[in-house]
mmCIF file of all heavy atoms in Angstrom:
data_model
loop_
_atom_site.group_PDB
_atom_site.id
_atom_site.type_symbol
_atom_site.label_atom_id
_atom_site.label_comp_id
_atom_site.label_asym_id
_atom_site.label_seq_id
_atom_site.Cartn_x
_atom_site.Cartn_y
_atom_site.Cartn_z
ATOM 1 N N VAL U 15 10.832 9.794 -15.570
ATOM 2 C CA VAL U 15 11.864 10.818 -15.854
ATOM 3 C C VAL U 15 12.207 10.800 -17.331
ATOM 4 O O VAL U 15 12.409 9.798 -17.915
ATOM 5 C CB VAL U 15 13.138 10.530 -14.998
ATOM 6 C CG1 VAL U 15 14.199 11.533 -15.264
ATOM 7 C CG2 VAL U 15 12.757 10.534 -13.495
ATOM 8 N N THR U 22 17.075 14.432 -17.168
ATOM 9 C CA THR U 22 17.078 13.213 -16.356
ATOM 10 C C THR U 22 17.307 13.568 -14.866
ATOM 11 O O THR U 22 17.172 12.728 -14.018
ATOM 12 C CB THR U 22 18.174 12.234 -16.816
ATOM 13 O OG1 THR U 22 19.451 12.931 -16.834
ATOM 14 C CG2 THR U 22 17.863 11.728 -18.224
ATOM 15 N N ALA U 85 18.098 31.616 -6.511
ATOM 16 C CA ALA U 85 19.243 31.510 -5.565
ATOM 17 C C ALA U 85 19.866 32.848 -5.266
ATOM 18 O O ALA U 85 20.214 33.192 -4.138
ATOM 19 C CB ALA U 85 20.244 30.519 -6.102
#
Side-chain angles (χ1 to χ4, degrees):
V15 178
T22 56

